[in-house]
Amino acid sequence: MTSFMRVLTTLLGNLLPRLLLSTALTASATEMPKLVNKNGHFEFDVEGRPYLILGAQIHNSSAWPSVLPKVWPALEAMHANTAAAPVYWEQMEAKPGQFDFENVDLLVKGAREHNLHLVLLWFGTWKNGNMHYVPTWVKTDTTRFPRMVNPHGEPLDVLSANAPANLNADKNAFAHLMRHLKELDGEIHTVLMVQVENESGAIGTVRDFSPMAERQFQSAVPAEMKTAGKSASGTWPQVFGGEADEYFQAYYQARYVNAVVEAGKAEFPLPMYVNVWLAYPVAQLPERQYAVPGQGYPSGGAVQKMIAFWKRNAPAVDMIGPDIYSDNPDFVLDTMRAYHRSDNPLWIPEIGFSDNYAKYFFSAIGNGAIGFSPFGVDHAGWMTAENGGPMMHAQNYQLFAPAAREVARLIAEGKVKTAVEEIGQARQEIDFGDWQAQVSFGFPQRDGVAPPGTKDAHGRAMVAQLGPDEFLVTGFDASVAFHVPGRLPGLRMQILRAEEGQFDGDGSGHNVWKPLRLWNGDETDRGLNFRQQPTWVRLQVGRF
Ligand code: DGJ
């Protein structure tokens, strides 16, 4: 080799990997995470490809350097691909104008080391309808930072949404956070999106009754307020009648949050969403009567009946996501359907961590969700998988983690359907038009006898249509039998090929199907049987 060749080889040897790395970084630099609306089906693109958020939210006081070592192993055991973790205003700006990003930096570093993405939760003006996370200098200066006042004239533990000083302080802090994130993560995109505030709203009053807010309430509604079907001229009571108080609060709050989002996006335009403390039906009241705003839920939040109003008045907010803490099946499904709209992707930012909520992961993906995130997943809180806590969410994520990209694509194409067991509904049908899948929950299943169901109704199954006669099937404690409409399984149809396989990452964010064996005989004769093992089957069926 000539000396010229030697130099060239050395140079290439040293430089090529770096060049490739920098190309990879540049490539990802252009690929901001983004939400794409495909005719009402949503896709969340990460590195330019559909991504399914297998999320896990850590406890409120777990995003501290001293606690993070107890967080990462729990997320690993959960098989999550994304951690949701708070950023505390009180810590980040403990002194006005002085910002400390140590917690955020460690979150991002830790997530990268554990091969996770992050959703950051901005605990700013609101946390669960109160102001608990604002810095002490805000808490103690009630003149500069006005509180909400209840109808009896008493100030509350909630900042007023009608006070510009409150908004400006929050906006400023949030903008600093987003500027810092851009510097820290603007190329790599470990952080996928940001939740702005946490369950915003007012606990303790339906609206602000301070003299300032009272004057606004008795004046004409703002010209820029967007309503549907109702005249938007007149005072609040004239326009909204008996619901005027709640709409007043919702309007000023939606505008406030929208302004915080805009300030953050001006620095770094990641997708941003709000989460909602829902209005739950009150047991004593007739069906579908909901709790009182300001008591049963924080007034002004984007609860079920306020989604459209919030969408219109907070257009910079990309998504509104429901926090689900009732496992009543009707409530869960009504909620998912209410928040999945042609203008709002379905994203479940919080749901109970106990096993009884796990099957609703299947309901979420069957309803087009871009992601799902149980609350309280770490080893610092009260419920952990390691100390014998619930495991079914982890079982779901273990199954879906290697297939997440593929499933996200299928969801965005509207091809994923699911069946979720409920008490007394051990047999269900999934309808694909020319084909139907009969799902039977619980084992053993005997000929001529209805399926037994599982003890706690946790069975769940997913069927995705890959082609006219081809399906991808999985589930737990379920058997899935295909048939032509109006005929029993096995009549005038046959299984052409039932291939069990796994998804493997190919290192570039794609999922590659790896066949393992063909199922036949006992594995297919009475339906494809999915028990506790994480298993996928690609099925080809034919008519004769
Ligand atoms: C909902 C809140 O958004 C979370 O931060 C946490 O407080 C949970 N409730 C606790 O159940």
Side-chain angles (χ1 to χ4, degrees), residues 9 80 103 177 212 259 299 355 465 502 534-535:
T9 315
N103 285 17
L177 170 63
M212 164 196 56
S299 184
D355 280 344
Q465 187 155 27
Q502 285 172 345
T535 313

Side-chain angles (χ1 to χ4, degrees), residues 333-353:
L333 293 181
D334 283 354
T335 301
M336 288 185 181
R337 288 177 191 136
Y339 285 85
H340 190 202
R341 300 159 42 101
S342 56
D343 59 359
N344 196 60
L346 181 61
W347 153 236
I348 311 296
E350 289 181 38
I351 188 162
F353 183 43

Side-chain angles (χ1 to χ4, degrees), residues 272-341:
M272 295 190 190
Y273 72 93
V274 299
N275 67 328
V276 182
W277 176 335
L278 294 169
Y280 289 90
V282 179
Q284 295 87 333
L285 296 174
E287 212 189 342
R288 300 201 192 282
Q289 298 270 321
Y290 286 89
V292 177
Q295 294 176 26
Y297 61 89
S299 184
V303 292
Q304 295 90 324
K305 67 174 179 186
M306 288 291 181
I307 306 170
F309 188 75
W310 258 81
K311 293 297 294 185
R312 289 195 187 91
N313 291 291
V317 173
D318 298 292
M319 286 190 292
I320 302 176
D323 293 349
I324 300 179
Y325 287 100
S326 159
D327 67 353
N328 176 290
D330 291 335
F331 180 80
V332 175
L333 293 181
D334 283 354
T335 301
M336 288 185 181
R337 288 177 191 136
Y339 285 85
H340 190 202
R341 300 159 42 101

Side-chain angles (χ1 to χ4, degrees), residues 57 60 123 127-128 198-199 275 323 325 350 375 382:
Q57 185 168 149
N60 288 164
F123 283 11
K127 165 71 172 77
N128 300 17
N198 190 86
E199 295 188 343
N275 67 328
D323 293 349
Y325 287 100
E350 289 181 38
F375 175 83
W382 64 87

Side-chain angles (χ1 to χ4, degrees), residues 162-206:
N162 300 63
N166 297 343
L167 171 61
N168 289 337
D170 190 327
K171 260 169 56 175
N172 181 52
F174 187 63
H176 275 84
L177 170 63
M178 295 310 294
R179 187 178 308 164
H180 179 72
L181 264 190
K182 185 178 180 184
E183 281 161 20
L184 179 72
D185 195 44
E187 299 207 331
I188 296 173
H189 296 306
T190 298
V191 180
L192 301 181
M193 58 182 180
V194 181
Q195 176 187 295
V196 181
E197 315 296 345
N198 190 86
E199 295 188 343
S200 70
I203 286 290
T205 183
V206 62

Side-chain angles (χ1 to χ4, degrees), residues 36-42 342 412:
V36 185
N37 186 345
K38 295 191 156 169
N39 301 322
H41 295 293
F42 287 93
S342 56

